[in-house]
Amino acid sequence: MSTNATPATIHRQDYRPPAFLVDSVELHVALHPTATRVRARLAMRRNGDARDLELDGEALTLIEASLDGAPLAAPRMEHLPGGGLRIADAPDAFVLETLVEISPEANTELSGLYLSGGNYFTQCEAEGFRRITFFPDRPDVMARYTVTIEADKATCPVLLSNGNPAGAGDLPGDRHWARWEDPHPKPSYLFALVAGDLVAVRDHFTTRSGRQVALAIYVRQGDEDGCGHAMDSLKAAMAWDETEYGLEYDLDVFNIAAVSDFNMGAMENKGLNIFNTKYILARPDTATDGDYEGIETVVAHEYFHNWTGNRVTCRDWFQLSLKEGLTVFRDQHFSEHMGSAAVKRLANVRRLRAAQFPEDAGPMAHPVRPDSYVEINNFYTATVYQKGSEVVRMMRELIGHENFRKGMDLYIARHDNQAVTIEDFVSAMQDASGVDLSRFSRWYAQAGTPELRVEDDFDASTGRYTLTLSQTTPPTPGQPEKQPVPIPVAMGLLGPDGVALPLRLQGEDAAEAPEERMLLLEEARQDFVFEGLGNRRPTPSLLRGFSAPVKLTGLELPALGFLAAQDSDPFVRWDSGQQYAVAEMLRLIGAHRAGGAAPALPEGLATIFAAVLDRAEADPAFAAEALALPSEDFVANQMPVADPEAIHLVRQALRREIGARFAPRFAGLHDALQDTGPYRIDGASIGRRALRNAALSYLAQAPGSDGLPRARAQFAAGANMTDVLAALRVLADSDDPAREDALAAFHASWRHDPLVLDKWFMLQATSSRADTLAQVQALALHPDFDIRNPNRVRALVGAFAASNPVHFHAASGEGYRFLAEMVIALDPVNSQVAARMVSPLGDWKRQSPERAAMMRAELERILARPNLSKGTFEKVSKSLAE
Ligand code: B3K
Ligand code: ZN
């Protein structure tokens, strides 16, 4: 029996405006590791009929409170069950003063004010401010903040908060103070404070209207040499927001502080972004190309929030995608501009399919704008972020790029300094473009990934081609019936020779037939009739650029092979190759399960690979993507009942066969693409390294090849972390005699660099070797494993459970048990991270009955723990629902 009381569900429809507003906040924070004192002076006023004032609060010790100078006490003031405060009979306007004590040192949740490496940091989104002071902690209460921080001079030389600096001075007892004023009203979730022994890497930016902005990145001493890429990315993002959207920065300073203990990637606090060190620190010898790309994206993302999120914020947390979907769209667009646009696009699609599609098909499926939640932190999801971004992208394609820009201008002009809804955003787009978006809004309301099915018919005697598109969206929890959504389908038709055919829809003028166009599927099923094709039977190239977040089905192998080789659209070329590979893998898995012989490389697939290799050096980044077989999870998601062992066996066999078949070409690429000059982080250099390392990885699979010696040499050469890690991954997956030494050497070199050590954990957690599960269990007891550090937990536990399906789904059930034990151990320490770790266990419906029963048993075991956090409770109980 669970001893957990069922926590309350919050419903979107229950939204009510705040009963009281806060005009200004004066905070005085006297820092101390175990007894920080926070004095808050709130100028408040009534905003409705309610007489009683209710304030949120959590883990606060109240010292004193007063209203308009008069001390407050029971019975007028009472403590509420969750930790909040109620004050009866509040006047229309008043000043409320409270003094509380909190312990940053005891705060392992990393929400509110906490200590990391002796320095103070805050994290307030979504509901952390209530762990700092009593407050109406909801995003539609926007106030002006003045913050005074006081601390020991020696341990805390740096004192930072939001806005502009507004004074500093010394205090008796070797203490000092600093004041910060934020002129822009903001919701409490954007409050931030950083204090400690940090050093600043400085730069500056002049906005296009001439405002001088002082930029600083605060890091621990010794990390200064890792900030260059983050700083460059920041300046590029600031310039991009001006040229692309006309949006300038609005304070005198922009500060970033980096912290090793952080629940997620970064946080967009006004004027004082706080970042996981993972998304700031990078040197060629410590960070991979992927890390560099992540830094560029996340720095830009947080910067872009200054307008989409901070100046215009969310009315309530159901509107989260208003800021997150839009800001992901903005950062993806920026990154496409900074690198190879086509390759960035398909990498983002790959991520969407890996994370969001399964979420949409699983127990936690929810619309981009959810209808209810228990713990809002569980809804910072791939659906809200990535699918939300795809919805914005579709809207831009539907109304046109110019209208989209007008819509953004209108949205900001209308709602600057307001807390608004997704409807407000759609209305601005609709009003600016004149396009009716009411039906389109279903994308925000309906969960589940639509399946787009294609059928076609060609009449060579009339030159008429009928393309029939139909859509269905499977039921999701709480949404059994689905309506059709408008699906923009960017498309072309290829003639038998691969040349683009003119696209003339029935009734159109022959003179204006384009070679590419956007069809809009609005109904469940529609015919699109093309004319004037003569006797050239077309092959349809659909969903170019991934014009909608849907699953495309209905194309047969010959068409996929043809598109993979011939289409002009890089996304369709890549995707057709992937779909082809999935179809063949599913066939081979079926044959293997039926007791067939060892899987052999299908000739059609070999032809596609050969074509990719032929063109590899013309676009190495694209080739690296096209050479990657679909992941084991992706294949599993296409099966009614997954078979992790068979999938792994077939995928590994194909990798071996591909390695063997093309060994000389892989060896040639590995030689030819070796970097000679200094390490460079431009798109072309990244692409070359990606292709070279893809070649090495295949080569190492080929029996009798020199792949492993090459990996050893590449590891030893230590040119840069991208190449070192790629080589070490090959060794870590192998039985090579040098494996143990290489891992030990890597550990010895980097044991003092937490971000690099995370890679050491992650490589072992995701190894395909048979002994991986035992290794992972041992690593959880390693002295360098620290359950209080979220990066380390993600590197070992998260990577194993989410990215090593064959071992996580070990037939013994040990993988499930390991994850459950970690969740149980983590929940009382850091419930946000614990709840995130639960997801892989929720996938039981897709597994065999034996595995499903073991997964459910582990979920039940977690649920039976006393005092489970509401976040973990929500994830586990929803995961168990039939
Ligand atoms: N807004 C933050 C995420 C906060 C997560 C709270 N659990 C970072 C971002 O999306 O930019
Ligand atoms: Zn964001």
Side-chain angles (χ1 to χ4, degrees):
M1 263 304 284
S2 165
T3 53
N4 297 297
T6 304
T9 298
I10 320 285
H11 296 273
R12 184 168 57 86
Q13 294 300 350
D14 292 345
Y15 173 83
R16 298 290 176 274
F20 290 86
L21 298 174
V22 183
D23 290 319
S24 67
V25 179
E26 280 172 46
L27 281 186
H28 185 280
V29 184
L31 291 170
H32 183 280
T34 56
T36 289
R37 291 215 160 187
V38 182
R39 186 176 288 282
R41 200 167 181 275
L42 313 179
M44 303 192 69
R45 74 191 138 88
R46 187 186 311 289
N47 185 44
D49 304 327
R51 307 303 312 168
D52 295 354
L53 167 67
E54 289 193 9
L55 299 168
D56 299 300
E58 197 181 292
L60 303 174
T61 305
L62 181 64
I63 311 286
E64 58 186 41
S66 65
L67 197 154
D68 285 335
L72 285 166
R76 189 177 179 201
M77 178 175 75
E78 60 175 320
H79 287 273
L80 298 171
L85 215 52
R86 178 186 293 133
I87 294 153
D89 209 20
D92 288 344
F94 56 96
V95 172
L96 179 77
E97 224 175 299
T98 60
L99 175 65
V100 302
E101 194 170 287
I102 53 181
S103 172
E105 192 179 272
N107 185 356
T108 59
E109 290 281 343
L110 313 185
S111 161
L113 177 69
Y114 63 94
L115 274 178
S116 168
N119 299 319
Y120 296 86
F121 296 89
T122 55
Q123 172 54 36
C124 290
E125 189 177 1
E127 298 178 335
F129 193 65
R130 64 188 61 184
R131 293 164 61 84
I132 295 174
T133 191
F134 289 104
F135 201 79
D137 191 13
R138 43 187 286 171
D140 55 355
V141 173
M142 298 174 81
R144 287 196 172 76
Y145 286 63
T146 304
V147 179
T148 308
I149 313 167
E150 170 191 330
D152 282 340
K153 245 176 155 171
T155 56
C156 290
V158 170
L159 305 173
L160 306 172
S161 189
N162 316 89
N164 296 318
D170 284 338
L171 290 168
D174 292 324
R175 286 173 76 80
H176 68 154
W177 65 275
R179 183 163 301 142
W180 292 83
E181 259 171 30
D182 186 351
H184 303 284
K186 65 166 174 288
S188 51
Y189 81 85
L190 291 174
F191 169 78
L193 181 156
V194 171
D197 191 4
L198 299 168
V199 286
V201 173
R202 297 187 188 279
D203 207 327
H204 58 88
F205 183 85
T206 308
T207 70
R208 66 173 186 179
S209 71
R211 180 197 275 273
Q212 293 293 325
V213 185
L215 311 177
I217 300 180
Y218 286 86
V219 292
R220 294 176 74 168
Q221 231 162 66
D223 286 339
E224 299 92 318
D225 60 353
C227 299
H229 186 63
M231 190 64 92
D232 288 346
S233 303
L234 174 61
K235 289 187 287 182
M238 292 178 89
W240 168 261
D241 224 13
E242 292 185 351
T243 50
E244 189 65 22
Y245 291 100
L247 296 173
E248 275 186 44
Y249 188 60
D250 55 1
L251 289 167
D252 304 336
V253 298
F254 187 83
N255 287 324
I256 292 179
V259 55
S260 312
D261 298 291
F262 205 60
N263 281 347
M264 61 268 176
M267 178 65 211
E268 70 263 24
N269 316 300
K270 183 78 188 189
L272 176 53
N273 285 187
I274 297 181
F275 269 67
N276 190 322
T277 45
K278 179 174 165 57
Y279 291 106
I280 292 292
L281 301 180
R283 292 192 324 234
D285 62 329
T286 61
T288 63
D289 292 343
D291 295 328
Y292 275 87
E293 290 179 310
I295 289 168
E296 177 182 279
T297 296
V298 178
V299 167
H301 178 99
E302 306 311 332
Y303 177 74
F304 294 155
H305 268 316
N306 190 55
W307 281 96
T308 52
N310 300 4
R311 287 286 287 254
V312 182
T313 196
C314 300
R315 185 191 72 174
D316 55 72
W317 292 121
F318 297 102
Q319 319 300 328
L320 184 57
S321 197
L322 174 75
K323 73 177 178 83
E324 295 304 348
L326 176 56
T327 305
V328 171
F329 167 77
R330 275 152 55 69
D331 83 54
Q332 289 191 355
H333 190 199
F334 167 75
S335 297
E336 284 175 21
H337 150 87
M338 296 289 283
S340 155
V343 173
K344 295 262 167 152
R345 179 68 185 145
L346 45 101
N348 284 329
V349 173
R350 184 160 42 68
R351 279 191 277 269
L352 179 86
R353 286 174 171 167
Q356 199 279 325
F357 281 18
E359 186 168 271
D360 240 352
M364 284 292 292
H366 56 276
V368 172
R369 183 189 57 202
D371 294 316
S372 66
Y373 61 77
V374 171
E375 168 57 70
I376 184 56
N377 287 314
N378 284 336
F379 287 81
Y380 287 73
T381 57
T383 300
V384 165
Y385 277 65
Q386 269 78 37
K387 186 175 179 181
S389 164
E390 292 300 322
V391 172
V392 173
R393 195 174 188 278
M394 282 191 287
M395 213 184 300
R396 180 166 180 260
E397 295 309 312
L398 283 178
I399 68 177
H401 295 195
E402 268 181 45
N403 281 334
F404 182 80
R405 170 61 205 273
K406 285 189 202 147
M408 283 294 292
D409 291 351
L410 184 59
Y411 170 65
I412 285 169
R414 272 184 188 168
H415 300 299
D416 191 12
N417 292 322
Q418 292 177 12
V420 301
T421 63
I422 285 174
E423 275 176 1
D424 292 321
F425 177 74
V426 176
S427 296
M429 289 296 160
Q430 177 163 302
D431 294 349
S433 66
V435 178
D436 180 359
L437 292 171
S438 44
R439 236 190 200 213
F440 182 81
S441 298
R442 285 178 190 166
W443 277 106
Y444 284 108
Q446 202 165 269
T449 308
E451 181 176 319
L452 173 66
R453 206 180 155 69
V454 49
E455 295 157 77
D456 60 358
D457 182 62
F458 180 60
D459 184 345
S461 65
T462 56
R464 178 178 293 176
Y465 175 71
T466 306
L467 189 65
T468 305
L469 298 179
S470 55
Q471 60 167 303
T472 50
T473 302
T476 52
Q479 286 189 339
E481 307 287 338
K482 304 287 183 179
Q483 294 176 304
V485 286
I487 300 180
V489 183
M491 55 86 63
L493 295 177
L494 301 194
D497 50 1
V499 171
L501 299 174
L503 304 176
R504 176 155 66 88
L505 283 171
Q506 210 169 26
E508 285 180 349
D509 198 337
E512 293 166 10
E515 290 183 351
E516 180 168 74
R517 61 193 299 163
M518 182 82 84
L519 305 177
L520 188 60
L521 174 63
E522 293 192 275
E523 308 299 333
R525 185 184 174 90
Q526 274 170 256
D527 284 343
F528 299 89
V529 181
F530 295 89
E531 296 192 321
L533 297 167
N535 59 1
R536 297 166 294 182
R537 166 176 267 285
T539 301
S541 161
L542 301 173
L543 222 59
R544 286 182 166 180
F546 197 62
S547 57
V550 301
K551 289 181 188 166
L552 176 64
T553 62
L555 290 176
E556 306 285 343
L557 280 188
L560 291 171
F562 181 75
L563 291 167
Q566 303 276 356
D567 200 38
S568 58
D569 183 76
F571 171 77
V572 170
R573 242 180 14 251
W574 168 77
D575 190 40
S576 303
Q578 294 286 303
Q579 304 230 30
Y580 193 106
V582 168
E584 288 292 47
M585 287 164 82
L586 292 173
R587 185 177 61 75
L588 293 170
I589 289 162
H592 168 74
R593 286 162 57 105
L601 177 61
E603 273 319 302
L605 200 52
T607 308
I608 293 176
F609 270 79
V612 172
L613 284 166
D614 283 343
R615 286 192 238 160
E617 277 174 275
D619 189 349
F622 179 85
E625 288 282 354
L627 289 173
L629 286 174
S631 73
E632 290 174 25
D633 269 329
F634 188 77
V635 176
N637 292 339
Q638 320 306 314
M639 299 172 72
V641 178
D643 183 338
E645 280 147 12
I647 296 170
H648 182 71
L649 182 136
V650 164
R651 190 171 185 278
Q652 289 295 101
L654 284 183
R655 280 169 49 73
R656 247 189 335 271
E657 294 259 319
I658 293 166
R661 170 80 68 105
F662 300 108
R665 302 181 73 169
F666 287 133
L669 284 172
H670 191 251
D671 290 334
L673 294 171
Q674 176 146 28
D675 262 342
T676 42
Y679 177 83
R680 293 170 48 129
I681 192 63
D682 54 84
S685 308
I686 294 175
R688 288 163 59 88
R689 285 189 287 270
L691 180 58
R692 179 165 187 259
N693 288 322
L696 175 66
S697 163
Y698 272 117
L699 194 58
Q701 301 294 320
S705 82
D706 63 348
L708 287 170
R710 280 173 185 266
R712 271 182 245 139
Q714 183 169 320
F715 177 75
N720 56 67
M721 184 51 79
T722 303
D723 291 345
V724 167
L725 205 67
L728 187 58
R729 141 121 8 247
V730 166
L731 297 175
D733 274 357
S734 76
D735 293 323
D736 193 76
R739 177 184 193 270
E740 301 307 317
D741 284 351
L743 283 168
F746 190 86
H747 180 267
S749 308
W750 296 110
R751 57 178 312 172
H752 299 300
D753 188 322
L755 293 174
V756 185
L757 205 52
D758 288 339
K759 300 179 194 305
W760 183 80
F761 277 93
M762 205 252 295
L763 267 191
Q764 297 176 81
T766 54
S767 167
S768 59
R769 277 166 56 103
D771 62 354
T772 295
L773 179 52
Q775 297 281 350
V776 168
Q777 286 164 329
L779 285 169
L781 302 172
H782 192 282
D784 292 326
F785 182 72
D786 178 3
I787 200 163
R788 284 168 312 173
N789 178 249
N791 285 357
R792 195 57 50 86
V793 171
R794 284 185 281 260
L796 181 66
V797 187
F800 171 72
S803 311
N804 200 342
V806 70
H807 293 306
F808 174 63
H809 292 289
S812 64
E814 282 283 306
Y816 307 144
R817 174 152 283 255
F818 170 74
L819 179 59
E821 309 248 295
M822 296 308 296
V823 170
I824 288 168
L826 191 54
D827 192 54
V829 176
N830 186 330
S831 59
Q832 274 188 52
V833 178
R836 282 200 168 249
M837 294 288 138
V838 171
S839 306
L841 285 170
D843 193 32
W844 58 268
K845 274 191 190 150
R846 197 180 286 290
Q847 302 298 328
S848 67
E850 300 75 32
R851 286 193 167 93
M854 293 190 289
M855 294 169 86
R856 291 184 57 90
E858 294 303 333
L859 287 165
E860 298 278 9
R861 200 157 68 82
I862 301 172
L863 200 62
R865 301 295 296 193
N867 306 320
L868 212 55
S869 70
K870 69 175 175 174
T872 300
F873 177 88
E874 177 179 37
K875 287 288 287 282
V876 174
S877 52
K878 286 185 174 169
S879 297
L880 275 164
E882 293 285 343

